[in-house]
Amino acid sequence: MSRRAVLAGVGHTEFGKLAGRSAWHLEAAAAAAAVADAGVQPRDIDGLLTDPGPAQGVLDGITPHFLRLGAQLGLDPDYAGSEILGGAGSVAIVERAVLAVEAGLCELCLCVYGDSALSAPGSFAYGRGDEAAFGFFGAVGLHALAARRHMHRYGTRTEHLGEVAIAARSHAARTPHAQKRQPIEMQDYLASEFLVEPLRKLDCCLVSDGAAAVLVTTEERAGDLRCPPIRILGHAQAHSLSTYASSDHFDRLPAARCGPKALGRAGLAPADIDVALLYDCFTIVVLLQLEDYGFCKKGESGAFVEGGRIAPGGSLPVNPSGGLLAEGYGGGMLHVIEAVRQLRGEAGERQVAGAETALVSGHGLGMNTHATLVLGS
Amino acid sequence: MPAAKPPLPQPDVLTTSFWNACRRRVLEISVCGDCGHRFLPPGPCCPRCWSPRLASQESSGRGRVDSFAVYRRTYHPGMPAPYVVALVELDEGPRLISNIVGCAPEEVAIDRRVEVRFEAADGFSLPRFALGHGKESAKGGNS
Ligand SMILES: [Zn+2]
């Protein structure tokens, strides 16, 4: 009988400004929390995959991140590595752990995201090669191009982006560990300054210190653990690396290819998803994903988010813990963890009633990378 | 106090020819010697058929705004806001990131015709674009 992987223990640190604790300290704390959640011992870990955040980067000199963290955690695993997929990295390492566990390469794989981007901005580079000569700095400029095209093609309004920002804060208000718990209203959103028009400060994700970890193991092994296992119903990756050469790079995310593959493996349609954990580095990316995953038709995401449909109590709650916009920048691993908590039914005040299926996405770099997990209780 | 300088291009083995052409006020695009595909940025092979037989061609320097973003916050002291970054689609097909200059940000719109305007910058010549007066491109963009 083939081995089936499941998500077991999850854990994370606080998110926000955590002065005096390096990314290494935070990652070790998140790993310890995940191990405690599962009721296993550090010596049981036989796989290590890491997604170092943008400020610390994947290499320290020539030393890859997983090697330094593995040494600090005293691990000699059967399987190890780090991914460089930007914001798709956390979902991608969980997917890679699923593949490794199902292939028998390891049995209890620790997946870790961590960064200290607020306290130690480190290698954050604003320039993008020759494009820096034209002042094209940062991910916000890139996503502003996508937002402008969406507005032009479909009549999407600034208030539609605002709905996404407002929903994120109302979710976070119900999340004790969230970095920004203060609710906002449309007038607050419209008063938010433009950074790179049409994107405002409130369209952008937070910058955070923090770390998060997830354990992947076999269904069989999970029977001995103290936490209920969460099933992997489907997974996929898709990437768009040609960037400007592709005429629809800013209009359609690789999610449009990833979603049907992951949902198809799960035997589910978008309408079967109870809770969506969509990578939300910028509000526009949530709108694009609602379309590209098929939660609504292309071009109709603006109307879709009106009336609080993705907010608490809406028909498709998106990022019930607040996401990157309000919970904290957890690289996507916090999205995986929130899906696990929702499916376990342990999300407290923000619990989506009867949540049995979740879709988790990661999106990264120059709108180039994408990864999807479909999970079930 | 001297004004801060903006970042400069960093020519490498693939892009030196492009930046040298800019100094001659030529906007150079790469052309595949086998399939005829025209592309930017320059690369080691044709991104469509992987042929290593590459040539270059002078672009008309005319195109359309595919999208644009208005920087309202200053991220680099050498590039004070506001300024417009645009994704320009040349009439020959390739797209590149540049600036729209010589107008207020409010005048820029998707599908507006633009024409290259070379601007000197510390030993380089940067291909920026100004709004043109021609009709909108026959292709009408991707809209
Ligand atoms: Zn070719």
Side-chain angles (χ1 to χ4, degrees), chain B residues 32-37 39 46-51 54:
Chain B
C32 175
D34 280 315
C35 78
H37 180 52
F39 60 95
C46 168
R48 185 167 285 175
C49 75
W50 293 7
S51 168
L54 303 176

Side-chain angles (χ1 to χ4, degrees), chain A residues 318-344:
Chain A
V318 171
N319 300 340
S321 46
L324 306 173
L325 292 166
E327 179 185 17
Y329 189 87
M333 198 62 87
L334 284 180
H335 288 59
V336 178
I337 291 177
E338 178 64 8
V340 167
R341 288 182 172 150
Q342 289 287 341
L343 296 174
R344 286 181 183 174

Side-chain angles (χ1 to χ4, degrees), chain A residues 130 134-135 145 149 195 197, chain B residues 19 66-67 70 72 83 99:
Chain A
D130 286 350
F134 300 102
L145 294 178
R149 282 196 57 79
L195 298 184
E197 199 180 337
Chain B
W19 290 113
D66 196 50
S67 191
V70 183
R72 295 288 181 188
Y83 59 91
N99 300 121

